[in-house]
PDB file of all heavy atoms in Angstrom:
ATOM      1  N   ARG A1118      91.633 193.416  37.880  1.00 91.00           N
ATOM      2  CA  ARG A1118      91.209 193.698  39.251  1.00 91.00           C
ATOM      3  C   ARG A1118      90.384 192.544  39.812  1.00 91.00           C
ATOM      4  O   ARG A1118      90.384 192.290  41.015  1.00 91.00           O
ATOM      5  CB  ARG A1118      90.381 194.993  39.238  1.00 91.00           C
ATOM      6  CG  ARG A1118      90.030 195.505  40.601  1.00 91.00           C
ATOM      7  CD  ARG A1118      89.035 196.630  40.508  1.00 91.00           C
ATOM      8  NE  ARG A1118      89.588 197.790  39.878  1.00 91.00           N
ATOM      9  CZ  ARG A1118      88.880 198.650  39.140  1.00 91.00           C
ATOM     10  NH1 ARG A1118      87.594 198.444  38.955  1.00 91.00           N
ATOM     11  NH2 ARG A1118      89.447 199.678  38.587  1.00 91.00           N
ATOM     12  N   LYS A1119      89.666 191.872  38.940  1.00 90.00           N
ATOM     13  CA  LYS A1119      88.833 190.758  39.387  1.00 90.00           C
ATOM     14  C   LYS A1119      89.694 189.568  39.795  1.00 90.00           C
ATOM     15  O   LYS A1119      89.312 188.784  40.668  1.00 90.00           O
ATOM     16  CB  LYS A1119      87.890 190.387  38.216  1.00 90.00           C
ATOM     17  CG  LYS A1119      86.996 189.228  38.456  1.00 90.00           C
ATOM     18  CD  LYS A1119      85.825 189.603  39.311  1.00 90.00           C
ATOM     19  CE  LYS A1119      85.115 188.370  39.851  1.00 90.00           C
ATOM     20  NZ  LYS A1119      84.166 188.664  40.894  1.00 90.00           N
ATOM     21  N   GLN A1120      90.849 189.425  39.160  1.00 94.00           N
ATOM     22  CA  GLN A1120      91.657 188.231  39.374  1.00 94.00           C
ATOM     23  C   GLN A1120      92.677 188.349  40.495  1.00 94.00           C
ATOM     24  O   GLN A1120      92.899 187.409  41.241  1.00 94.00           O
ATOM     25  CB  GLN A1120      92.414 187.885  38.083  1.00 94.00           C
ATOM     26  CG  GLN A1120      91.498 187.552  36.924  1.00 94.00           C
ATOM     27  CD  GLN A1120      92.309 187.162  35.700  1.00 94.00           C
ATOM     28  OE1 GLN A1120      92.959 186.136  35.664  1.00 94.00           O
ATOM     29  NE2 GLN A1120      92.271 187.996  34.682  1.00 94.00           N
ATOM     30  N   ILE A1121      93.301 189.525  40.583  1.00 94.00           N
ATOM     31  CA  ILE A1121      94.383 189.690  41.571  1.00 94.00           C
ATOM     32  C   ILE A1121      93.812 190.293  42.845  1.00 94.00           C
ATOM     33  O   ILE A1121      93.149 191.333  42.799  1.00 94.00           O
ATOM     34  CB  ILE A1121      95.484 190.619  41.019  1.00 94.00           C
ATOM     35  CG1 ILE A1121      96.146 189.993  39.788  1.00 94.00           C
ATOM     36  CG2 ILE A1121      96.520 190.939  42.086  1.00 94.00           C
ATOM     37  CD1 ILE A1121      97.148 190.908  39.079  1.00 94.00           C
ATOM     38  N   ILE A1122      94.075 189.653  43.966  1.00 90.00           N
ATOM     39  CA  ILE A1122      93.758 190.302  45.245  1.00 90.00           C
ATOM     40  C   ILE A1122      95.039 190.969  45.696  1.00 90.00           C
ATOM     41  O   ILE A1122      96.060 190.299  45.939  1.00 90.00           O
ATOM     42  CB  ILE A1122      93.233 189.294  46.290  1.00 90.00           C
ATOM     43  CG1 ILE A1122      91.929 188.653  45.792  1.00 90.00           C
ATOM     44  CG2 ILE A1122      93.017 189.982  47.638  1.00 90.00           C
ATOM     45  CD1 ILE A1122      91.341 187.616  46.713  1.00 90.00           C
ATOM     46  N   HIS A1123      94.992 192.293  45.742  1.00 92.00           N
ATOM     47  CA  HIS A1123      96.193 193.090  45.994  1.00 92.00           C
ATOM     48  C   HIS A1123      96.898 192.653  47.285  1.00 92.00           C
ATOM     49  O   HIS A1123      96.283 192.627  48.350  1.00 92.00           O
ATOM     50  CB  HIS A1123      95.793 194.570  46.086  1.00 92.00           C
ATOM     51  CG  HIS A1123      96.949 195.490  46.326  1.00 92.00           C
ATOM     52  ND1 HIS A1123      97.925 195.717  45.383  1.00 92.00           N
ATOM     53  CD2 HIS A1123      97.300 196.225  47.401  1.00 92.00           C
ATOM     54  CE1 HIS A1123      98.805 196.566  45.860  1.00 92.00           C
ATOM     55  NE2 HIS A1123      98.455 196.889  47.080  1.00 92.00           N
ATOM     56  N   GLY A1124      98.157 192.317  47.136  1.00 92.00           N
ATOM     57  CA  GLY A1124      98.945 191.944  48.315  1.00 92.00           C
ATOM     58  C   GLY A1124      98.743 190.506  48.743  1.00 92.00           C
ATOM     59  O   GLY A1124      99.389 190.041  49.686  1.00 92.00           O
ATOM     60  N   GLU A1125      97.841 189.803  48.082  1.00 90.00           N
ATOM     61  CA  GLU A1125      97.589 188.407  48.463  1.00 90.00           C
ATOM     62  C   GLU A1125      97.916 187.436  47.330  1.00 90.00           C
ATOM     63  O   GLU A1125      98.449 186.365  47.581  1.00 90.00           O
ATOM     64  CB  GLU A1125      96.132 188.223  48.870  1.00 90.00           C
ATOM     65  CG  GLU A1125      95.783 189.046  50.070  1.00 90.00           C
ATOM     66  CD  GLU A1125      94.608 188.510  50.840  1.00 90.00           C
ATOM     67  OE1 GLU A1125      94.132 187.420  50.537  1.00 90.00           O
ATOM     68  OE2 GLU A1125      94.147 189.221  51.744  1.00 90.00           O
ATOM     69  N   SER A1126      97.550 187.830  46.105  1.00 94.00           N
ATOM     70  CA  SER A1126      97.867 186.936  44.984  1.00 94.00           C
ATOM     71  C   SER A1126      98.541 187.716  43.859  1.00 94.00           C
ATOM     72  O   SER A1126      98.500 187.319  42.711  1.00 94.00           O
ATOM     73  CB  SER A1126      96.598 186.264  44.482  1.00 94.00           C
ATOM     74  OG  SER A1126      95.622 187.233  44.171  1.00 94.00           O
ATOM     75  N   GLY A1127      99.147 188.820  44.195  1.00 96.00           N
ATOM     76  CA  GLY A1127      99.815 189.692  43.212  1.00 96.00           C
ATOM     77  C   GLY A1127      99.647 191.132  43.676  1.00 96.00           C
ATOM     78  O   GLY A1127      99.247 191.370  44.828  1.00 96.00           O
ATOM     79  N   PHE A1128      99.970 192.059  42.774  1.00 97.00           N
ATOM     80  CA  PHE A1128      99.819 193.473  43.133  1.00 97.00           C
ATOM     81  C   PHE A1128      99.043 194.210  42.047  1.00 97.00           C
ATOM     82  O   PHE A1128      99.257 193.968  40.852  1.00 97.00           O
ATOM     83  CB  PHE A1128     101.185 194.145  43.304  1.00 97.00           C
ATOM     84  CG  PHE A1128     101.926 193.724  44.540  1.00 97.00           C
ATOM     85  CD1 PHE A1128     103.136 193.050  44.457  1.00 97.00           C
ATOM     86  CD2 PHE A1128     101.412 193.994  45.818  1.00 97.00           C
ATOM     87  CE1 PHE A1128     103.820 192.647  45.600  1.00 97.00           C
ATOM     88  CE2 PHE A1128     102.091 193.611  46.958  1.00 97.00           C
ATOM     89  CZ  PHE A1128     103.300 192.926  46.847  1.00 97.00           C
ATOM     90  N   LEU A1129      98.180 195.114  42.484  1.00 96.00           N
ATOM     91  CA  LEU A1129      97.470 195.992  41.543  1.00 96.00           C
ATOM     92  C   LEU A1129      98.143 197.355  41.588  1.00 96.00           C
ATOM     93  O   LEU A1129      98.442 197.867  42.683  1.00 96.00           O
ATOM     94  CB  LEU A1129      95.996 196.121  41.945  1.00 96.00           C
ATOM     95  CG  LEU A1129      95.176 194.852  41.802  1.00 96.00           C
ATOM     96  CD1 LEU A1129      93.796 195.020  42.432  1.00 96.00           C
ATOM     97  CD2 LEU A1129      95.018 194.454  40.325  1.00 96.00           C
ATOM     98  N   VAL A1130      98.392 197.927  40.419  1.00 97.00           N
ATOM     99  CA  VAL A1130      99.113 199.206  40.380  1.00 97.00           C
ATOM    100  C   VAL A1130      98.378 200.194  39.482  1.00 97.00           C
ATOM    101  O   VAL A1130      97.609 199.813  38.604  1.00 97.00           O
ATOM    102  CB  VAL A1130     100.565 199.019  39.873  1.00 97.00           C
ATOM    103  CG1 VAL A1130     101.385 198.233  40.879  1.00 97.00           C
ATOM    104  CG2 VAL A1130     100.587 198.322  38.517  1.00 97.00           C
TER     105      VAL A1130
END
Side-chain angles (χ1 to χ4, degrees):
Chain A
R1118 188 189 294 149
K1119 178 78 194 168
Q1120 297 183 68
I1121 296 174
I1122 298 178
H1123 181 68
E1125 297 204 8
S1126 54
F1128 288 117
L1129 293 171
V1130 293

